[in-house]
Amino acid sequence: NMIWLGIFVFAFLVLHISQYFYVMKFTPELMATVNVHGKEMHDAYTLVVSLFTEGTFGYIYSSLYIVGFIALGLHLNHAFWSAFQTIGLSNDIWRKRLSVIGSVYALIISVGFTFIPVYFLFIK
């Protein structure tokens, strides 16, 4: 299943890069500006809010992001201990420890990032 999860995470990464990184770095003229302490800056917050809250598209986009971050968490959970196994630092004792550390790490990352679309969907 890791191949399908990897393909989905890659597609999610492409979506994320195209919607945020590309817009911020290569088409900043499409972004709103804001004045912060007398300095004119691009308003990334408005970009994020608009993508997560624009009507039906916002619900679909937010839901896709939530599923994407859950998939990323599952992928990271496996990837963490698997990386140590690949370089030969996993044995019967450390495998259990690395699995627990990987699970905690993946949970923190996926829940932390999932909170952003959840916040815009249900709280704000």
Side-chain angles (χ1 to χ4, degrees), residues 28-120:
E29 63 275 0
L30 298 177
M31 295 177 61
T33 56
V34 64
N35 192 323
V36 178
H37 303 295
K39 184 175 181 182
E40 195 74 17
M41 303 177 82
H42 295 291
D43 190 6
Y45 179 79
T46 301
L47 175 65
V48 172
V49 171
S50 67
L51 286 171
F52 285 131
T53 60
E54 285 184 355
T56 305
F57 174 76
Y59 287 111
I60 294 168
Y61 193 76
S62 296
S63 299
L64 184 61
Y65 253 72
I66 291 168
V67 171
F69 283 129
I70 291 169
L72 179 64
L74 293 171
H75 196 74
L76 287 175
N77 184 29
H78 171 77
F80 187 85
W81 67 262
S82 181
F84 284 95
Q85 182 177 357
T86 299
I87 60 174
L89 297 177
S90 180
N91 55 33
D92 291 337
I93 296 170
W94 278 98
R95 169 68 166 83
K96 295 173 190 170
R97 294 174 185 169
L98 292 172
S99 182
V100 169
I101 293 168
S103 295
V104 170
Y105 171 72
L107 186 66
I108 289 170
I109 295 297
S110 63
V111 168
F113 282 110
T114 300
F115 182 74
I116 298 167
V118 167
Y119 171 78
F120 288 115

